[in-house]
Structures are given as C-alpha cells and as structure tokens.
Amino acid sequence: MLCRRLLFWILLRCADCFSVTVPSSPVLGVRRATAHLPCAFEPVSDLSDLVITWQREEDLQVVHSFYYGTDQLERQGRDYINRTKLNHKEIPKGNASLSIAKFGLKDAGKYVCVVSNSKGTDRGVVHLVYAAFYSEPKLSILLNSTDVTVQYEMEAYPRPEVMWQGSGGQNLTGQVEVSSESDGGVFYLKSSYMTQSPVFNVTFTLKNPAVHQKLQRHVKVYISDGKHFSLG
C-alpha cells in the first residue's frame, strides 16, 4: 500500500516537471504576411527523443511535425505545404514557435502545440486571429442639382471605425455600405458624406484598431456654378 502511494506521489510530481508555455491572449496574424505562433518548453541537452507537433484544434489536422532531429512533413495538411517553418537553431533553447507564411483568413483559428521529451509531454493552445491593413481610400465626388456627395471606397478587415468631421471638428453623419466578405479575406467598404453647401471642408478618418492603423484624408470642395467644382 505504501509503495502504491509513493508511486502515485512520484507520478503526480512528475506531471509538474514539464510544461509548455503559450500566450494566454490571441495572437494577431496579418493578411499576406508571416504569422508567428509562440510556443516554449523546458529544454534538455539530448534532443534525440524530442517531438514537436502543431495541429489545428478543430479537426486535429497536422500543420507541422518535428522528430528524429528533423522536420517530418509526410502527414502535413495540404493547406500548409511549403508555408510552415520551425526555427531549428532555437529548438535546443526550448523554442517550438511556428511560422506560417502568406497568412490568410482561412488560417485563423486555434492551434495546438504538443511537445514531448525525456521530461514529459505537455500541450498548449494558441488562438490566431486575422486582420488586414486597409487599402488606400479611393475618392469620388458625386455632384447633382441639389447636393454633393463625397465618397471613399476601400478594402478592409475587420470592419473599420469610420468618422467624418467638419472644419471645426464636429462629427458629421456619414453613410457606410459594406459588401460581403470576399475570397481574399477583406470587406469592400463605401463611406460617404452628403451636403447641400457649395463650399465645405471635411475630414475622413479610418481606424483599424487590430493593426493600429489610422488613415486620415482632408477634402475641400468649392462649387462655382452648380456644374463645376474644385478640390482644395
């Protein structure tokens, strides 16, 4: 009975001997860039029995595998062929972080990092989220007999924060139209401001908090005879 208790105590202690460390907060991946999924473990001097496996959590699809001292990609999911990479120089230091090139919307999700060595086995889950830098806004001026509409068009993801302001900084009412998500992982967005004034000065601001991007454009319009206008 005493031996059983001792064995249970040893196994319980050993369960705490090895652990994998991953970020507790979501990790951002940017469209068409290389995404980095951090994963760290307690290293050992002998790497002969080290096994690193990255998988998608929802379907356990193999994203990248490493054992016998080299990458083992025979069972790698087709979506990740020639796109994933471990830093082999950092592995002996306990770094099992994975890089995914040409990151896209379909790559967003939860990834499981499983590491095994002579000290034990542990796993961690990395939540990878997607964002895209906004494209340069395209300006259009729509003029008719009663009013003028200033409109910007752009690609964006996620849906941006949009603001129109007057020359005194006052908040103006704008209209925002967002199309459905495209295959490229972006929204096509139109935002406009309409006025009946022949002379006006407005500022258009677009914010992408996910990647800390801010675009601001100033427009001055002078309508001379109801048919012609100039931009300041």
Side-chain angles (χ1 to χ4, degrees):
M1 187 68 177
L2 179 61
C3 291
R4 290 182 179 179
R5 290 181 178 177
L6 181 61
L7 178 60
F8 177 77
W9 181 82
I10 292 174
L11 292 175
L12 186 64
R13 290 293 301 273
C14 287
D16 297 328
C17 292
F18 180 79
S19 63
V20 162
T21 303
V22 296
S24 57
S25 301
V27 175
L28 178 67
V30 178
R31 181 190 185 209
R32 296 177 179 170
T34 298
H36 299 280
L37 288 73
C39 181
F41 62 95
E42 186 178 352
V44 293
S45 56
D46 183 10
L47 300 180
S48 60
D49 59 352
L50 174 66
V51 178
I52 300 173
T53 303
W54 280 92
Q55 295 175 284
R56 291 294 296 253
E57 185 183 55
E58 65 268 21
D59 57 7
L60 298 182
Q61 177 184 187
V62 175
V63 178
H64 197 103
S65 294
F66 175 94
Y67 50 91
Y68 296 147
T70 188
D71 294 318
Q72 305 287 344
L73 305 178
E74 294 82 4
R75 298 177 59 191
Q76 184 182 41
R78 66 175 64 183
D79 291 338
Y80 297 96
I81 294 175
N82 297 324
R83 295 178 58 215
T84 61
K85 183 179 180 181
L86 296 172
N87 189 333
H88 289 191
K89 293 182 179 180
E90 292 294 315
I91 290 176
K93 303 176 185 179
N95 187 348
S97 300
L98 181 72
S99 299
I100 302 178
K102 300 178 182 178
F103 183 70
L105 180 60
K106 66 180 180 180
D107 298 316
K110 293 183 178 181
Y111 291 76
V112 183
C113 175
V114 184
V115 182
S116 300
N117 63 17
S118 58
K119 290 188 176 183
T121 301
D122 195 21
R123 53 186 280 156
V125 178
V126 179
H127 186 191
L128 187 60
V129 298
Y130 170 87
F133 282 103
Y134 297 162
S135 63
E136 174 63 30
K138 179 182 177 181
L139 174 64
S140 299
I141 305 293
L142 310 175
L143 177 64
N144 60 40
S145 59
T146 59
D147 54 55
V148 183
T149 299
V150 182
Q151 179 176 277
Y152 278 105
E153 302 175 49
M154 71 225 73
E155 292 181 338
Y157 195 97
R159 182 171 176 144
E161 298 177 11
V162 175
M163 178 178 290
W164 290 88
Q165 293 174 292
S167 57
Q170 68 274 29
N171 189 18
L172 305 174
T173 301
Q175 298 177 354
V176 179
E177 175 187 338
V178 181
S179 70
S180 60
E181 191 175 299
S182 71
D183 293 336
V186 294
F187 291 113
Y188 187 73
L189 180 142
K190 295 180 181 180
S191 182
S192 61
Y193 167 72
M194 184 175 67
T195 181
Q196 295 179 343
S197 174
V199 178
F200 61 92
N201 181 354
V202 295
T203 298
F204 173 75
T205 303
L206 183 72
K207 292 183 180 180
N208 185 342
V211 294
H212 307 290
Q213 182 187 19
K214 179 179 178 180
L215 299 176
Q216 194 168 69
R217 301 293 180 264
H218 305 283
V219 182
K220 294 182 181 180
V221 176
Y222 307 87
I223 303 174
S224 58
D225 57 7
K227 297 182 180 179
H228 301 88
F229 66 88
S230 62
L231 296 177

